[in-house]
Amino acid sequence: MSDESTPGTRVTHDEEAHRLEATTPDGEVAGFLTYDLVESKAPGGRGSLIATHTIVQPHHERQGIGSSLARAVLDHAQEHRLTVIPECSFVRAYIDQHPEYKALLP
């Protein structure tokens, strides 16, 4: 898992669709990450972001696309005070390798 991004690759976040996309300069979707949101039922409780899937197109693997997506969704969760449930094995491994995100786990 690398933190190096492909030059010019851009990550966009469609909050309504619960999806982040990494696109190349020519507009190709190189990868995406999907998630679900669960609101807290406790008053003042934190909601949760469930990272469900990270998909990178085979010809874009090992270019840091997945890491860019994982970092973006974790930063989003942190900014919105959400806990993270990493059902996606890639996001789980990313958190294991980046202890600064472990506080997001329930």
Side-chain angles (χ1 to χ4, degrees), residues 10-32:
R10 191 174 77 132
V11 174
T12 57
H13 188 176
D14 182 344
E15 290 189 48
E16 191 172 302
H18 299 173
R19 178 182 168 107
L20 290 94
E21 286 187 349
T23 53
T24 63
D26 64 359
E28 177 189 5
V29 176
F32 64 90

Side-chain angles (χ1 to χ4, degrees), residues 82-101:
L82 300 168
T83 60
V84 174
I85 301 168
E87 286 184 357
C88 168
S89 60
F90 188 90
V91 173
R92 181 179 305 278
Y94 189 87
I95 292 170
D96 288 344
Q97 292 183 359
H98 297 86
E100 64 271 22
Y101 292 113

Side-chain angles (χ1 to χ4, degrees), residues 15-71:
E15 290 189 48
E16 191 172 302
H18 299 173
R19 178 182 168 107
L20 290 94
E21 286 187 349
T23 53
T24 63
D26 64 359
E28 177 189 5
V29 176
F32 64 90
L33 185 150
T34 59
Y35 64 90
D36 292 319
L37 291 175
V38 178
E39 291 185 31
S40 173
K41 297 193 192 269
R46 292 171 64 184
S48 295
L49 182 149
I50 303 168
T52 54
H53 298 288
T54 304
I55 304 293
V56 176
Q57 297 302 323
H59 59 284
H60 286 291
E61 288 179 354
R62 304 212 180 276
Q63 296 176 8
I65 303 291
S67 293
S68 294
L69 292 165
R71 185 173 43 254

